[in-house]
Amino acid sequence: MRPPSPWKTAFKATFNLNESALSSNWRGGGVNSIGLNAQVNQKANFHRGRNSWDNEADFLYAFVANKDQGYRKSLDRLFLDTKYGCNISTQWNMFASLNLLTQFAPGYKYSTDANGQQRAQRISSAFAPAYITAAYGMEYVAKKWFKIRLSPLASRLTIVGRPERFVGVLGEKPYGVNLDHSTHFEVLAGQVLAELDKGLSSNMNVKARYLLFADYEKLALRRVDHRLDASFTAKVNRYINVALTGILLYDYDQDRAVQYSQGLSLGLIYTRQNPQEKK
């Protein structure tokens, strides 16, 4: 009999489409529109003895196209994470991790000028900004569906290629990067990363990822970065789902106020797991 594989994998893909069409004499107001929301998540985790190696790739993209306004991106995220862990007890691990958080499509701020014309100003682009974070510390696994990484030693590299492109919207230091540079390195910082992935019933799931990052050199309550990505998915049947997604973000180098985005969609879902991961 073959021994069980030390690798456990899981794959999930969702594709949600929303559309509205109105007749030319529709008196209720509104415009014709079409939108797409796509998310792909792949995990590959290795465990043998006290050692573990966890890997995750998470991709999210959404757009909406309104009549007379054209195509506009609404959500865009690429998250890659790799982590080595060593068990020191049933619930505590020592770990070292490396992750990337960015987007891959241009983003724009839309406004109306004095003549009533629509104006689009580029506010982000592919890998601008991109955040590469290395962290070391302890991980607490409270349940199979909840874990938290505590990293008193972390460092982050912010990448913004050609930051002068964003000065008109973001000011003289886009995403904290000086105009004569393309990177900003925060050498010594603290990070907290908490993840929840729990099935509420056989057809409902809630997933959330919370990230806190504090640069020790500029340590102050208002300079601590926070990001929460959350989703609630309810399966209608094996392939049809309803999804509610949201992002809350506070980053002092981006904006002095809290940013948020939210989406509700109906679409297709596909999942695949190897036997070791099936519940």
Side-chain angles (χ1 to χ4, degrees):
M1 183 177 178
R2 290 184 60 185
S5 171
W7 285 97
K8 298 180 180 181
T9 61
F11 176 83
K12 179 180 179 180
T14 60
F15 300 93
N16 302 307
L17 182 68
N18 54 76
E19 179 266 347
S20 67
L22 309 173
S23 66
S24 59
N25 63 339
W26 180 256
R27 304 305 184 196
V31 295
N32 296 342
S33 67
I34 186 170
L36 174 70
N37 181 309
Q39 183 170 10
V40 177
N41 182 275
Q42 173 72 61
K43 294 181 179 180
N45 300 330
F46 175 91
H47 188 272
R48 176 173 288 167
R50 296 176 57 194
N51 301 301
S52 62
W53 182 29
D54 298 337
N55 302 277
E56 180 177 6
D58 192 61
F59 159 96
L60 172 64
Y61 184 74
F63 74 86
V64 62
N66 293 329
K67 184 180 179 182
D68 300 326
Q69 291 183 336
Y71 156 92
R72 295 185 177 186
K73 181 183 75 172
S74 54
L75 289 173
D76 181 14
R77 181 183 73 227
L78 175 64
F79 179 74
L80 304 176
D81 182 68
T82 185
K83 174 180 67 72
Y84 166 76
C86 180
N87 295 86
I88 59 175
S89 72
T90 56
Q91 293 182 308
W92 285 95
N93 306 320
M94 294 187 298
F95 81 89
S97 69
L98 182 68
N99 62 54
L100 166 71
L101 177 64
T102 185
Q103 70 283 316
F104 49 88
Y108 297 88
K109 178 181 179 181
Y110 298 95
S111 59
T112 304
D113 63 20
N115 298 318
Q117 299 296 315
Q118 289 286 321
R119 182 176 63 164
Q121 296 174 283
R122 182 171 290 199
I123 198 169
S124 64
S125 189
F127 287 83
Y131 302 98
I132 300 175
T133 306
Y136 319 89
M138 302 293 292
E139 179 182 48
Y140 178 65
V141 183
K143 299 285 184 180
K144 187 175 183 180
W145 45 266
F146 177 77
K147 54 190 175 183
I148 183 169
R149 303 181 197 175
L150 305 174
S151 309
L153 297 175
S155 56
R156 182 171 71 179
L157 180 68
T158 302
I159 303 172
V160 181
R162 293 167 49 215
E164 65 275 6
R165 294 177 292 171
F166 313 119
V167 169
V169 184
L170 300 177
E172 294 298 320
K173 203 172 181 181
Y175 302 104
V177 176
N178 292 321
L179 293 182
D180 56 345
H181 293 76
S182 59
T183 61
H184 173 59
F185 191 34
E186 295 164 282
V187 180
L188 188 59
Q191 179 177 272
V192 176
L193 176 61
E195 294 182 299
L196 181 147
D197 188 353
K198 181 172 177 57
L200 302 179
S201 68
S202 60
N203 63 344
M204 290 191 294
N205 175 267
V206 61
K207 184 175 181 179
R209 180 191 297 119
Y210 169 71
L211 177 66
L212 178 151
F213 186 87
D215 186 352
Y216 293 145
E217 185 180 352
K218 300 174 288 187
L219 192 59
L221 188 60
R222 64 190 178 96
R223 300 296 294 263
V224 177
D225 297 339
H226 305 269
R227 179 178 175 124
L228 174 65
D229 294 77
S231 64
F232 173 81
T233 305
K235 287 186 178 181
V236 178
N237 57 36
R238 185 178 178 184
Y239 296 110
I240 305 295
N241 81 103
V242 177
L244 176 64
T245 60
I247 300 173
L248 281 174
L249 172 64
Y250 176 77
D251 187 327
Y252 185 85
D253 292 323
Q254 293 190 23
D255 198 283
R256 302 300 189 264
V258 175
Q259 305 173 57
Y260 71 91
S261 69
Q262 176 269 326
L264 177 65
S265 56
L266 171 69
L268 301 175
I269 184 169
Y270 173 74
T271 60
R272 185 184 70 240
Q273 297 175 308
N274 68 357
Q276 288 82 9
E277 277 290 283
K278 293 181 179 178
K279 299 179 182 179

